[in-house]
């Protein structure tokens, strides 16, 4: 059954216009429009801070499918950190449980995907940290400590307030330079 879902996802992706992405969340295919320039600006500001603190042997990547056959989910975070050796493949996806974090900049056209769908899926996919940057609300939220299919901890900050990012990154994320929509 899972292979049929993954095949359907691939067919949907081939039918999409350039720049659009598609993800699989159980029986649902989620389509996203290309990101705005301000989305990319905020993502760049976040990535630069994480890059300095990434553990040795891990690389930053966006537009990489994180696949969890056990949960029938394929998600594509705006930013994640994966072992470099996991990226040495011709496959379009890597095992989700290898990701150290998923970072999402909330889409103004589909905020439910980040706040509901991915908040539901990422802990089930064994992703230990989930950072949500919501430029509409000028907030940053870190979810951590996945247990029994949900995140146990949540830290909220407004743009301008720091967010503590735990191990393996172990740094304070500065949010003052982030731009609202």
């Amino acid at each position: 059954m899972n292979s049929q879902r993954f095949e359907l996802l691939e067919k949907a992706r081939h039918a999409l216009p350039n720049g659009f992405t598609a993800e699989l969340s159980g029986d649902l295919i989620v389509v996203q429009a290309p990101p705005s320039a301000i989305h990319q600006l905020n993502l760049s500001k976040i990535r630069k801070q994480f890059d300095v603190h990434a553990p040795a042997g891990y690389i930053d990547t966006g537009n990489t499918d994180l696949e969890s056959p056990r949960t029938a989910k394929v998600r594509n975070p705006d930013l994640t950190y994966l072992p470099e050796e996991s990226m040495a493949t011709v496959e379009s996806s890597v095992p989700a449980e290898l990701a150290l974090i998923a970072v999402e900049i909330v889409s103004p056209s589909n905020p439910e995907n980040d706040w509901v769908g991915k908040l539901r899926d990422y802990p089930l996919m064994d992703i230990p940290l989930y950072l949500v940057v919501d430029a509409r609300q000028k907030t940053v939220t870190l979810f951590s400590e996945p247990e029994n299919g949900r995140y146990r901890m949540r830290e909220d900050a407004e743009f301008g307030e720091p967010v503590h990012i735990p191990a393996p990154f172990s740094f304070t994320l500065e949010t003052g330079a982030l731009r609202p929509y």
Side-chain angles (χ1 to χ4, degrees):
M1 184 64 156
N2 282 347
S3 64
Q4 290 174 334
R5 289 180 181 143
F6 295 122
E7 288 173 23
L8 185 59
L9 176 62
E10 285 307 310
K11 287 180 183 178
R13 285 179 169 165
H14 290 295
L16 291 173
N18 282 343
F20 282 76
T21 61
E23 300 171 312
L24 179 65
S25 178
D27 291 330
L28 182 66
I29 292 178
V30 181
V31 176
Q32 283 290 123
S36 67
I38 200 162
H39 173 283
Q40 294 300 86
L41 176 65
N42 283 336
L43 184 59
S44 176
K45 291 177 183 298
I46 298 287
R47 180 188 313 260
K48 285 179 183 178
Q49 292 184 64
F50 271 93
D51 282 350
V52 175
H53 302 282
Y58 282 79
I59 62 168
D60 65 305
T61 180
N63 298 315
T64 298
D65 285 340
L66 301 180
E67 183 176 337
S68 176
R70 176 182 54 80
T71 62
K73 298 180 187 313
V74 177
R75 289 300 198 156
N76 191 309
D78 290 325
L79 175 65
T80 189
Y81 286 80
L82 294 164
E84 186 171 346
E85 65 271 7
S86 72
M87 297 298 289
T89 180
V90 296
E91 299 297 320
S92 63
S93 64
V94 297
E97 66 272 8
L98 297 178
L100 296 179
I101 189 169
V103 178
E104 299 289 356
I105 310 295
V106 174
S107 166
S109 64
N110 188 8
E112 294 80 17
N113 187 39
D114 298 314
W115 280 113
V116 178
K118 290 183 179 184
L119 182 56
R120 175 194 62 235
D121 291 351
Y122 285 150
L124 293 170
M125 297 169 73
D126 297 322
I127 298 174
L129 301 171
Y130 178 32
L131 185 72
V132 181
V133 178
D134 193 334
R136 302 164 315 131
Q137 304 296 324
K138 299 187 243 179
T139 61
V140 178
T141 303
L142 177 68
F143 296 94
S144 61
E145 299 184 23
E147 185 179 282
N148 297 323
R150 66 177 187 84
Y151 288 110
R152 291 182 53 239
M153 301 298 293
R154 175 180 176 154
E155 180 181 349
D156 294 291
E158 294 183 12
F159 281 14
E161 297 176 336
V163 177
H164 172 70
I165 306 297
F169 298 98
S170 302
F171 77 102
T172 299
L173 179 72
E174 298 301 331
T175 65
L178 297 175
R179 303 278 181 91
Y181 290 139

